[in-house]
Amino acid sequence: MTWDLLNIIGTLAFALSGVVVAMEERYDLMGVYILGFVTAFGGGAIRNLLIGVPVTALWGQGPLFMIAFVAITILFVFPKFLDRRGSMWGVFFDAIGLAAFATQGAIFAADMGLPVSAAIAAAALTGTGGGMVRDLLAGRRPLFLQKEIYIAWTLLAGIPIGLGFITHPIGYGVIVVSIVVLRMLSVYYQWRLPSRHLSDA
């Protein structure tokens, strides 16, 4: 139940995130669908490759494809849902997808009996994979490579779940909400990770 719910939330949120980026870049209808789908399913595909799950498992997610298709279509036909803050909606959808898929990836690794390092990696790659593919296809610098705090929030899922500290659906929900809130706060207050340049040496 928890797994399926996180899958639906993450897929829906990342699909909408992809649509927002596609419309910001003025893509046509096919471009919108392609970017929406690769954002929604890119993270899961990368996770499956990492832990050895056959890529063909992706094609068994028919209901999720339909959910993503309907969401993409609605947002494309009725873009006014985003009003004048489309970019902030894109960040919000991305934060939800990041949180849901990072938690799901950590659960996946923990259920397979893998060490905490694998749970952290699975959380990071599942949470950021779809957004990474989206940004690359849109010609943008991937968020996880920028100074703003993005991929670091996946540690909130990978560490406690990988160590077995959190195993209950309520705990998973707390992690998801925490990542979304912290991600949005980091954008609003422009929190940044330390960075260095060669000129600083």
Side-chain angles (χ1 to χ4, degrees), residues 53-70:
V53 176
V55 178
T56 52
L58 184 66
W59 307 119
Q61 298 180 323
L64 288 178
F65 275 98
M66 286 305 302
I67 290 173
F69 178 80
V70 171

Side-chain angles (χ1 to χ4, degrees), residues 99-169:
F101 276 158
T103 303
Q104 187 196 52
I107 294 172
F108 198 99
D111 287 347
M112 292 184 66
L114 299 175
V116 64
S117 58
I120 292 173
L125 290 175
T126 309
T128 64
M132 175 180 64
V133 176
R134 174 201 64 212
D135 291 339
L136 290 174
L137 288 179
R140 299 184 174 189
R141 185 181 180 187
L143 280 173
F144 77 96
L145 293 178
Q146 299 184 39
K147 289 187 293 183
E148 64 179 84
I149 303 176
Y150 185 71
I151 194 172
W153 296 128
T154 64
L155 294 173
L156 297 179
I159 292 176
I161 294 175
L163 291 174
F165 292 160
I166 296 179
T167 57
H168 194 275

Side-chain angles (χ1 to χ4, degrees), residues 16 48 60 67 116 119 129 138-139 159 175 177 184:
L16 295 176
N48 290 352
I67 290 173
V116 64
I159 292 176
I175 289 175
V177 172
M184 295 306 294

Side-chain angles (χ1 to χ4, degrees), residues 9-108:
I9 293 173
T11 299
L12 183 59
F14 265 150
L16 295 176
S17 170
V19 174
V20 172
V21 171
M23 290 195 295
E24 287 178 344
E25 298 295 331
R26 300 184 181 277
Y27 284 13
D28 63 13
L29 178 61
M30 286 307 301
V32 169
Y33 277 116
I34 290 173
L35 207 60
F37 278 121
V38 298
T39 307
F41 297 98
I46 292 173
R47 177 204 61 214
N48 290 352
L49 288 172
L50 177 72
I51 61 180
V53 176
V55 178
T56 52
L58 184 66
W59 307 119
Q61 298 180 323
L64 288 178
F65 275 98
M66 286 305 302
I67 290 173
F69 178 80
V70 171
I72 292 169
T73 302
I74 291 175
L75 199 56
F76 182 82
V77 175
F78 302 104
K80 289 187 178 181
F81 284 161
L82 301 177
D83 57 55
R84 296 181 180 179
R85 299 182 179 177
S87 59
M88 187 54 68
W89 276 112
V91 173
F92 180 62
F93 293 143
D94 184 86
I96 295 175
L98 174 73
F101 276 158
T103 303
Q104 187 196 52
I107 294 172
F108 198 99

